Amino acid sequence: MLIEKFPWWQRGIIYQIYPRSFQDSNGDGIGDLPGITARLDYLVSLGIDAIWISPIYPSPMRDFGYDVSDYCAIHPLFGTLADFDRLLHAAHARGLRVLLDLVPNHTSDEHPWFIESRSSRDNPKRDWYIWRDPAPDGGPPNNWLSHFGGSAWEFDAHTGQYYLHTFVKEQPDLNYRHPEVLPAILDVMRFWLARGVDGFRVDVITHLLKDAQLRDEPLDPNWDGIEPYYRLRHIYSRNVDGIHAIVRQMRATLDEYPDRVMVGETYLPNEELAKYYGEHLDECHLPFNFQLIRLPWDAQIVRRAVDAYAAALPPGAWGNWVLGNHDRHRVATRIGQAQARVANMLLLTLRGTPTTYQGEEIGMEDVPIPPEFVQDPPALNQPEIAPIVGRDPERTPMQWDASPNAGFTRAGVTPWLPIAPDYATRNVARQAQDPTSMLSLYRALTRLRRAEPALCIGDYRSVDVGAADIFAYERTAEGAARFLIALNFGARAHTLDLSRVARTARIEMATDMQRRGHVDLQHLEVAPNEGLVMRVD
Ligand code: GLC
Ligand code: CA
């Protein structure tokens, strides 16, 4: 069995960089491209294979870069195209791939396309966006909601029509039913692919196409009453018939270049998610699988989800797992520090490409943001649910060391978001010195995954253990060492009988980074919050 026959994105680990918060190099309190370049050796030391950088394009920053006003340039805050090329070359020289964030669903309202589109009803770019007359009562054309609060329609007095915006009103949605829009985006892809980027994470790929008749969406009877956006079932504004033809064309464009990868942002149940691989595996290589973010942290629920996902993958498709991102509360906050170690062990021993969000290798936590410092639009627009929907807490600067401003920016500078209060004790420099730290665990896990074919590309099979707190599974590959992983999602100790797997095993790694040695699998003791990776004899 030759591990080399698996493409890099199947063998590899993806690490998400939120550039505003990774490393500031020029003392303006905002992270930038030279900052990332300066930290490449750290990224190599993590044992990851690719970085995905959230948007770095010119943007009025109404949605912190996800409102793009020029797809083929770099925001001066982040640097220049030359800085980008330097980063790309320096990354490649170290064997790291670079994925960019492609944001095709919407532009900024300051993008030249939209400026033209809104200038008059007969402008050639008018229908590049979704414009409609007011309803008879003068209100919005239908009942669609913005993800970030309120109606998804904004009235433009100049031309007397409404335009659609799934996110903030400064992010008008492009119209993929207009024949010129997709080709324009495909050209954007070519611009970066020709420059040497290794692929894209495609933002809200499931939203690109909207119902041709823009029908009202039905109420969701299961709505939990929290986020207004989920009051409706988004059956006409998302995952609409015809979307796959668009994704296929994006993939075909990507495939004009060798060895690139397309990752999709796909919050979907398995059956719909599977379709984003494409009927002939001709859509996303990796439609993101967000189950570890969304599910309650319960061993049996997670086990069932992992088994069901494995069963739902189309033949030949390669899975993936995501533990955190810039839109979701941090894993250490969701489940606590002890379980965050278990979660990293799970992420890095499952079958499928893992994605780590910056800072989660050191257990960074959400940082409470005082109301007067809140910047994120969904929190600003919906103050009553800001603590639930606000994303500033998981976007605070990377904690590099114990110096003022955590090594993120110079002392005396005010960073764009506050530094976590725990930075003096929870930081990269300190954890690098501590062989039992979360960072040491993370590095050891990536090292093991890279070294062991069973962990990297092997098969997965869950194992019955009869203890509700425990999730156990085997990873096997022909001709390679076999591994058994046992994860305790609970705070109680357990003695397990895993003798149906083998009689004995050797602990290769434990979440405490200390426990070692041979174990009798008939009486395997698992400590509270402990995860074990065992080499089966
Ligand atoms: C995606 C991004 C999120 C952004 C939204 C609109 O969900 O991850 O950060 O706000 O799309 O572009
Ligand atoms: Ca800067």
Side-chain angles (χ1 to χ4, degrees), residues 6 9-10 277 285-286 313 316-320 351-353 456-457:
F6 288 77
W9 50 270
Q10 295 185 348
Y277 284 97
H285 296 92
L286 300 172
L313 285 177
W318 186 255
N320 73 88
R351 175 180 170 84
T353 304
C456 187
I457 46 80

Side-chain angles (χ1 to χ4, degrees), residues 270 273 277 286-289 291 303-314 318-321 351-352:
N270 284 341
L273 184 69
Y277 284 97
L286 300 172
F288 263 149
N289 164 21
Q291 297 185 79
R303 174 197 177 163
R304 276 196 296 276
V306 175
D307 289 353
Y309 177 69
L313 285 177
W318 186 255
N320 73 88
W321 297 95
R351 175 180 170 84

Side-chain angles (χ1 to χ4, degrees), residues 257-402:
Y257 302 79
D259 223 19
R260 313 298 161 101
V261 70
M262 191 160 106
V263 182
E265 189 197 15
T266 43
Y267 284 94
L268 289 170
N270 284 341
E271 199 185 315
E272 289 304 307
L273 184 69
K275 295 183 186 160
Y276 281 78
Y277 284 97
E279 235 174 286
H280 306 285
L281 298 183
D282 51 1
E283 296 184 31
C284 296
H285 296 92
L286 300 172
F288 263 149
N289 164 21
F290 294 115
Q291 297 185 79
L292 296 181
I293 294 183
R294 307 228 279 184
L295 289 174
W297 194 248
D298 171 278
Q300 297 318 308
I301 293 176
V302 172
R303 174 197 177 163
R304 276 196 296 276
V306 175
D307 289 353
Y309 177 69
L313 285 177
W318 186 255
N320 73 88
W321 297 95
V322 183
L323 206 52
N325 62 36
H326 64 297
D327 294 328
R328 303 285 153 166
H329 299 302
R330 287 206 176 263
V331 64
T333 299
R334 299 196 312 260
I335 64 179
Q337 287 292 339
Q339 283 298 318
R341 286 179 175 247
V342 174
N344 272 320
M345 184 172 274
L346 173 69
L347 175 74
L348 294 169
T349 56
L350 280 176
R351 175 180 170 84
T353 304
T355 297
T356 290
Y357 176 47
Q358 74 182 37
E360 301 212 328
E361 70 278 23
I362 58 168
M364 276 181 66
E365 297 179 355
D366 278 10
V367 177
I369 309 290
E372 63 274 25
F373 293 117
V374 169
Q375 311 205 30
D376 188 32
L380 289 173
N381 294 349
Q382 307 167 99
E384 39 335 314
I385 50 169
I388 296 166
V389 297
R391 301 170 298 177
D392 296 323
E394 60 265 25
R395 296 177 175 182
T396 62
M398 186 70 186
Q399 294 156 221
W400 293 106
D401 57 42

Side-chain angles (χ1 to χ4, degrees), residues 12 62 190 199 210 254 264 274 290 347 382 478:
R62 299 306 179 119
R190 291 188 186 99
K210 316 297 188 297
L254 191 98
F290 294 115
L347 175 74
Q382 307 167 99
E478 229 185 280

Side-chain angles (χ1 to χ4, degrees), residues 356-522:
T356 290
Y357 176 47
Q358 74 182 37
E360 301 212 328
E361 70 278 23
I362 58 168
M364 276 181 66
E365 297 179 355
D366 278 10
V367 177
I369 309 290
E372 63 274 25
F373 293 117
V374 169
Q375 311 205 30
D376 188 32
L380 289 173
N381 294 349
Q382 307 167 99
E384 39 335 314
I385 50 169
I388 296 166
V389 297
R391 301 170 298 177
D392 296 323
E394 60 265 25
R395 296 177 175 182
T396 62
M398 186 70 186
Q399 294 156 221
W400 293 106
D401 57 42
S403 70
N405 280 330
F408 165 68
T409 185
R410 291 172 207 155
V413 171
T414 305
W416 79 284
L417 279 176
I419 309 269
D422 65 357
Y423 84 89
T425 50
R426 190 182 319 286
N427 61 60
V428 168
R430 182 160 168 156
Q431 292 198 16
Q433 301 304 315
D434 175 359
T436 68
S437 67
M438 176 118 52
L439 179 60
S440 296
L441 170 66
Y442 188 92
R443 285 174 164 156
L445 282 166
T446 59
R447 214 179 303 126
L448 190 64
R449 186 181 178 95
R450 298 172 86 85
E452 295 294 345
L455 291 174
C456 187
I457 46 80
D459 292 336
Y460 156 90
R461 189 172 66 84
S462 65
V463 177
D464 291 323
V465 288
D469 279 345
I470 308 288
F471 175 24
Y473 48 98
E474 272 186 275
R475 300 293 315 278
T476 54
E478 229 185 280
R482 188 152 66 109
F483 287 83
L484 170 64
I485 293 101
L487 305 174
N488 187 350
F489 281 50
R492 286 187 312 129
H494 292 274
T495 305
L496 309 176
D497 179 359
L498 286 168
S499 57
R500 73 175 70 77
V501 175
R503 293 178 65 99
T504 59
R506 196 171 80 228
I507 296 177
E508 194 69 41
M509 196 170 303
T511 40
D512 71 356
M513 287 300 282
Q514 301 189 52
R515 188 169 167 198
R516 288 263 161 189
H518 285 273
V519 285
D520 171 3
L521 287 181
Q522 202 169 3

Side-chain angles (χ1 to χ4, degrees), residues 155-346:
F155 186 67
D156 189 58
H158 175 64
T159 53
Q161 286 190 314
Y162 282 86
Y163 66 85
L164 182 74
H165 61 90
T166 302
F167 298 91
V168 294
K169 67 180 195 316
E170 295 86 358
Q171 283 167 304
D173 283 45
L174 284 162
N175 175 17
Y176 280 82
R177 294 187 187 275
H178 189 288
E180 289 164 10
V181 169
L182 180 58
I185 291 295
L186 301 182
D187 280 345
V188 170
M189 293 176 69
R190 291 188 186 99
F191 174 86
W192 293 107
L193 292 166
R195 257 192 139 76
V197 312
D198 298 285
F200 301 99
R201 172 267 192 187
V202 184
D203 192 63
V204 290
I205 196 165
T206 61
H207 284 256
L208 298 185
L209 199 64
K210 316 297 188 297
D211 180 41
Q213 304 164 55
L214 302 177
R215 281 170 280 186
D216 276 351
E217 293 188 320
L219 290 175
D220 186 341
N222 300 320
W223 183 48
D224 63 6
I226 300 171
E227 255 190 88
Y229 179 71
Y230 293 106
R231 210 157 38 91
L232 301 180
R233 289 179 53 222
H234 300 292
I235 56 172
Y236 296 129
S237 60
R238 201 180 86 112
N239 201 24
V240 162
D241 276 349
I243 178 70
H244 292 284
I246 295 173
V247 181
R248 264 198 304 279
Q249 289 191 62
M250 297 175 87
R251 169 64 178 269
T253 300
L254 191 98
D255 284 347
E256 293 167 9
Y257 302 79
D259 223 19
R260 313 298 161 101
V261 70
M262 191 160 106
V263 182
E265 189 197 15
T266 43
Y267 284 94
L268 289 170
N270 284 341
E271 199 185 315
E272 289 304 307
L273 184 69
K275 295 183 186 160
Y276 281 78
Y277 284 97
E279 235 174 286
H280 306 285
L281 298 183
D282 51 1
E283 296 184 31
C284 296
H285 296 92
L286 300 172
F288 263 149
N289 164 21
F290 294 115
Q291 297 185 79
L292 296 181
I293 294 183
R294 307 228 279 184
L295 289 174
W297 194 248
D298 171 278
Q300 297 318 308
I301 293 176
V302 172
R303 174 197 177 163
R304 276 196 296 276
V306 175
D307 289 353
Y309 177 69
L313 285 177
W318 186 255
N320 73 88
W321 297 95
V322 183
L323 206 52
N325 62 36
H326 64 297
D327 294 328
R328 303 285 153 166
H329 299 302
R330 287 206 176 263
V331 64
T333 299
R334 299 196 312 260
I335 64 179
Q337 287 292 339
Q339 283 298 318
R341 286 179 175 247
V342 174
N344 272 320
M345 184 172 274
L346 173 69

Side-chain angles (χ1 to χ4, degrees), residues 112-175:
W113 298 343
F114 189 70
I115 293 175
E116 278 196 47
S117 180
R118 86 186 318 175
S119 66
S120 74
R121 289 199 189 198
D122 52 18
N123 184 280
K125 292 229 165 39
R126 182 64 171 182
D127 293 331
W128 279 41
Y129 295 82
I130 301 172
W131 292 94
R132 284 294 183 282
D133 286 334
D137 69 353
N142 69 18
N143 73 343
W144 292 6
L145 296 171
S146 156
H147 234 291
F148 292 163
S151 167
W153 295 95
E154 179 71 11
F155 186 67
D156 189 58
H158 175 64
T159 53
Q161 286 190 314
Y162 282 86
Y163 66 85
L164 182 74
H165 61 90
T166 302
F167 298 91
V168 294
K169 67 180 195 316
E170 295 86 358
Q171 283 167 304
D173 283 45
L174 284 162
N175 175 17

